[in-house]
Amino acid sequence: MAKRDYYEVLGVGKNATDAEIKSAYRKLAKECHPDLHPNDKNAEERFKELNEANEVLSDPEKRKRYDQFGFDGPQMGGGADGFDFSGFGGMGGFESIFDTFFGGGMGARRAGPAQGNDVQHRVTVTFEEAAFGCEKTVDFYRNEVCDSCNGTGAKPGTQPQTCPTCKGSGQVRAGGGFMVTVRTCPTCRGEGRIIREKCASCGGTGRARRKRSLKVRIPAGIQDGVSLLKRGEGEPGLRGGPPGDLYITVRVLPHKLFQRDGNDILLEMPISITQAALGADIDVPTLEKPVKQRIPEGTQSGTEFRIRGQGIPSIKNGVKGDLILKVHVEVPRKLNEKQKELLRQFDQSMGGREYEGRKTFAEKIKEIFNN
């Protein structure tokens, strides 16, 4: 089969820059790498063709000789089909290519350092504690290095042994010649060692469950469901890796009087007919101490009043929200006869103008039925 022009193989023009050649090679080699097309001879040949073209065109001197003399130029050959494999360092070179494209080798690698697992925990605080902030002692569990075997997983007095299958490498190779496959050792699962006698305390895992306590500051203004992050307080890392983190999710208990709306708090409060009609100064409970609020005469049920600065501080800047007071006029029940008679006399004394809402409603009914 006749050789194809190297520029044609890479799909670039003869005036292509080094960057264009590199980009074209990376794209095409990724598409037809033999590991992505097992048992496909065409892909293997195509990959060899691409590497041969790239070997020449990415080298300024070789490219110059190729442009001048073609395939017959001096020192263009070397290796099968005139392609010099020395630049790839044998099989390790192809593994480097695969590392470049896919972020990993052609097969398994022995497990390296790994970050420890994160730990999740939940802490419960009252409405007031969330509003003002507090300090809590958090008790949580995490897997730590076993004290009995010092993390080896082996019975005290014994040591793990080098895996006889992979000789400690954590991987096994198969095949030969141009293509070699590498996979995780099935005997040791990539650890490179095996445990003949397991530690009774940890069952061979090298880890044991331990209870830990940690003082945590709950910031003022925190909301229900927010998680606090304590870096490095999770489980220890593996094989020298960094520890995981501790995530503490805050649950805020409901309040008997207040509800939260952002940094504002909402309060619904009953008032009497007399207070609503004549007006009054009432004591309004807040998170700290009662404050006075003026109820104007003629206040209707459902009217809202905003009391500034009596809400919850912002977790960002500490500025407090407001207290939104919503009043409900409560109608008295279980009146005695004297009270009922007084109300009848009071109602008979009304001329109608005192009830604006009822007057407007009556006018609307009259307008509807007169049309």
Side-chain angles (χ1 to χ4, degrees):
M1 182 177 177
K3 279 179 173 287
R4 289 200 298 156
D5 177 74
Y6 288 150
Y7 292 101
E8 179 185 347
V9 171
L10 293 179
V12 297
K14 291 191 176 183
N15 295 324
T17 64
D18 291 342
E20 290 172 338
I21 290 174
K22 181 179 179 180
S23 176
Y25 168 67
R26 288 171 61 90
K27 179 177 182 295
L28 294 172
K30 184 176 180 180
E31 292 175 357
C32 67
H33 196 286
D35 279 5
L36 300 180
H37 305 278
N39 303 320
D40 186 342
K41 291 296 183 181
N42 290 331
E44 184 176 324
E45 291 300 323
R46 173 69 171 142
F47 189 65
K48 290 170 60 178
E49 185 183 43
L50 284 169
N51 282 313
E52 181 177 342
N54 182 67
E55 170 74 5
V56 173
L57 298 185
S58 62
D59 185 304
E61 290 299 322
K62 290 183 180 181
R63 181 180 181 182
K64 181 178 179 180
R65 290 194 294 271
Y66 175 74
D67 289 341
Q68 186 174 359
F69 302 105
F71 295 114
D72 296 327
Q75 300 180 5
M76 287 301 298
D81 295 327
F83 177 46
D84 183 2
F85 282 89
S86 62
F88 292 94
M91 200 58 212
F94 280 107
E95 291 184 25
S96 297
I97 295 171
F98 202 82
D99 284 342
T100 300
F101 294 135
F102 302 102
M106 292 177 69
R109 290 288 183 271
R110 182 171 179 176
Q115 184 174 7
N117 292 326
D118 295 333
V119 176
Q120 304 282 343
H121 189 73
R122 187 173 72 173
V123 64
T124 300
V125 299
T126 65
F127 195 92
E128 288 85 354
E129 287 175 329
F132 300 122
C134 64
E135 189 174 77
K136 289 285 185 179
T137 298
V138 176
D139 296 325
F140 62 98
Y141 290 87
R142 66 186 183 191
N143 292 320
E144 299 183 356
V145 175
C146 175
D147 295 332
S148 299
C149 66
N150 292 321
T152 66
K155 180 181 177 181
T158 68
Q159 291 293 328
Q161 300 177 8
T162 300
C163 175
T165 303
C166 66
K167 303 299 187 293
S169 69
Q171 57 189 15
V172 292
R173 296 172 179 262
F178 180 71
M179 293 299 297
V180 175
T181 60
V182 184
R183 61 189 177 91
T184 300
C185 177
T187 303
C188 65
R189 297 183 180 179
E191 293 292 332
R193 61 180 193 166
I194 57 175
I195 300 173
R196 298 295 186 188
E197 296 183 81
K198 295 181 178 180
C199 172
S201 298
C202 64
T205 64
R207 297 292 174 114
R209 191 168 175 81
R210 296 282 185 267
K211 181 179 180 181
R212 295 297 177 192
S213 294
L214 183 69
K215 286 187 176 181
V216 178
R217 179 64 191 174
I218 308 298
I222 196 167
Q223 298 204 42
D224 182 68
V226 171
S227 291
L228 302 176
L229 171 62
K230 303 297 290 185
R231 293 199 178 277
E233 294 295 342
E235 296 184 356
L238 300 174
R239 298 174 293 277
D245 300 323
L246 172 63
Y247 289 87
I248 305 170
T249 301
V250 179
R251 177 175 178 258
V252 181
L253 294 174
H255 197 278
K256 292 182 178 180
L257 292 178
F258 305 114
Q259 289 185 326
R260 183 169 180 172
D261 181 16
N263 293 324
D264 294 335
I265 56 176
L266 311 178
L267 173 65
E268 295 190 6
M269 184 174 176
I271 60 175
S272 69
I273 291 179
T274 304
Q275 289 173 319
L278 302 181
D281 291 321
I282 63 174
D283 290 324
V284 179
T286 71
L287 287 174
E288 298 185 64
K289 61 181 180 180
V291 297
K292 289 288 185 181
Q293 173 64 37
R294 178 64 187 173
I295 304 297
E297 64 177 71
T299 294
Q300 302 299 304
S301 188
T303 301
E304 293 185 352
F305 301 91
R306 181 177 293 270
I307 304 176
R308 301 287 181 182
Q310 293 297 330
I312 294 176
S314 168
I315 198 170
K316 295 181 179 179
N317 54 28
V319 177
K320 285 187 176 183
D322 302 327
L323 185 149
I324 310 300
L325 171 65
K326 187 175 183 179
V327 297
H328 293 281
V329 179
E330 185 175 11
V331 177
R333 301 180 182 182
K334 300 179 180 179
L335 300 177
N336 58 37
E337 284 302 318
K338 182 178 180 181
Q339 292 167 332
K340 291 178 181 178
E341 180 60 29
L342 288 174
L343 282 177
R344 292 188 189 99
Q345 293 177 9
F346 171 76
D347 190 54
Q348 289 174 0
S349 68
M350 296 290 125
R353 62 186 181 187
E354 298 86 357
Y355 295 104
E356 293 184 5
R358 190 164 68 177
K359 176 182 178 182
T360 302
F361 184 75
E363 291 174 348
K364 289 180 180 179
I365 292 178
K366 182 177 180 182
E367 181 180 350
I368 292 172
F369 288 100
N370 286 343
N371 289 336

